[in-house]
């Protein structure tokens, strides 16, 4: 059984990842794609109050489970659009360990800080300043297969760019290059 493709959208909160994912599901015609969003995994967790340490541990397990759910869906042949925020180095390292790098199209979803702030205020469902906090963290690894900017392009235009790039993925992929850089040859950063 062939592995499924993984279109991995990484960007800050309010950068437009979910909107791009919805557009991709609408325009991709060569397979059945599933949108897996980290926010959806967080939303199904029980709502009881947790202390800071307990919440941090639960969130880490949630994200690790999310990464493995992506891998499991792709392993049985499902095509997946992933919507994630790689704002802590361990998240990327964990993804590099569990996802098949040759099957991942790594997409950087960028947006200007002014526009992120405007969107965050308009949404009203995120802590103020979250996108600004994540702004320099999510793209710190510096390597993508393709990038888009939602402050200058619509979600449909970004999805179209990704669709057109998908059959022409580079080799090695960004995930392969990152895996070699961070996990190969005995050099491995500790997952924090």
């Amino acid at each position: 059984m062939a592995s499924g493709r993984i279109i991995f959208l990484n960007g800050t909160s309010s950068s437009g990842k979910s909107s791009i994912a919805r557009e991709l599901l609408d325009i991709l015609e060569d397979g059945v794609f599933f949108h897996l969003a980290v926010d959806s995994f967080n939303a199904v967790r029980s709502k009881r109050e947790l202390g800071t340490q307990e919440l941090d541990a639960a969130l880490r397990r949630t994200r690790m489970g999310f990464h493995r759910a992506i891998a499991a869906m792709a392993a049985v042949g499902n095509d997946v659009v992933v919507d994630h925020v790689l704002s802590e180095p361990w998240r990327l390292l964990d993804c590099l360990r569990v996802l098949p790098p040759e099957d991942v199209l790594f997409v950087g979803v960028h947006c200007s800080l002014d526009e992120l702030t405007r969107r965050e205020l308009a949404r009203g469902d995120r802590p103020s300043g979250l996108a600004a906090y994540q702004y320099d963290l999510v793209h710190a690894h510096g390597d993508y297969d393709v990038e888009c900017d939602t402050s200058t392009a619509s979600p449909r235009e970004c999805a179209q760019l990704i669709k057109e790039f998908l059959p022409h993925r580079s080799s090695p992929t960004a995930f392969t290059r990152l895996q070699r850089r961070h996990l190969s040859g005995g050099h491995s950063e500790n997952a924090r």
Side-chain angles (χ1 to χ4, degrees), residues 71-144:
M73 286 290 285
V76 295
N78 293 300
D79 292 322
V80 180
V81 178
V82 176
D83 170 349
H84 204 355
V85 181
L86 297 175
S87 59
E88 296 173 288
W90 77 264
R91 296 181 195 184
L92 174 62
L93 294 174
D94 195 49
C95 288
L96 292 173
R97 286 184 186 98
V98 301
L99 301 179
E102 66 280 358
D103 296 333
V104 178
L105 177 68
F106 199 25
V107 181
V109 179
H110 300 276
C111 186
S112 71
L113 189 52
D114 288 343
E115 179 61 14
L116 286 170
T117 302
R118 186 197 67 74
R119 290 178 188 177
E120 191 174 75
L121 289 171
R123 288 175 72 162
D125 64 349
R126 304 290 158 96
S128 180
L130 179 61
Y133 169 77
Q134 297 170 342
Y135 191 73
D136 290 325
L137 301 173
V138 297
H139 305 296
H141 56 82
D143 196 353
Y144 288 107

Side-chain angles (χ1 to χ4, degrees), residues 157-176:
E157 291 168 330
C158 293
Q160 190 63 41
L161 172 74
I162 295 163
K163 177 185 176 182
E164 290 169 8
F165 190 86
L166 188 58
H168 308 289
R169 290 182 288 172
S170 59
S171 182
T173 66
F175 250 53
T176 300

Side-chain angles (χ1 to χ4, degrees), residues 14 22 34 36 44 67 78 99 107 120 124 144 151-152 177:
S14 302
R22 284 189 294 275
F34 294 84
L36 298 181
V44 296
H67 303 159
N78 293 300
L99 301 179
V107 181
E120 191 174 75
Y144 288 107
S151 53
T152 59
R177 294 187 300 269

Side-chain angles (χ1 to χ4, degrees), residues 22-89:
R22 284 189 294 275
E23 294 291 344
L24 281 166
L25 266 57
D26 190 46
I27 67 172
L28 291 169
E29 300 157 345
D30 64 333
V32 176
F33 281 83
F34 294 84
H35 176 201
L36 298 181
V38 72
D39 287 348
S40 298
F41 269 58
N42 287 330
V44 296
R45 188 181 67 248
S46 63
K47 302 302 178 206
R48 80 176 175 84
E49 289 291 321
L50 301 173
T52 302
Q53 286 184 324
E54 192 178 9
L55 177 60
D56 287 347
L59 289 174
R60 184 180 179 99
R61 287 191 312 271
T62 301
R63 291 177 182 120
M64 290 178 80
F66 176 61
H67 303 159
R68 283 145 184 83
I70 296 164
M73 286 290 285
V76 295
N78 293 300
D79 292 322
V80 180
V81 178
V82 176
D83 170 349
H84 204 355
V85 181
L86 297 175
S87 59
E88 296 173 288

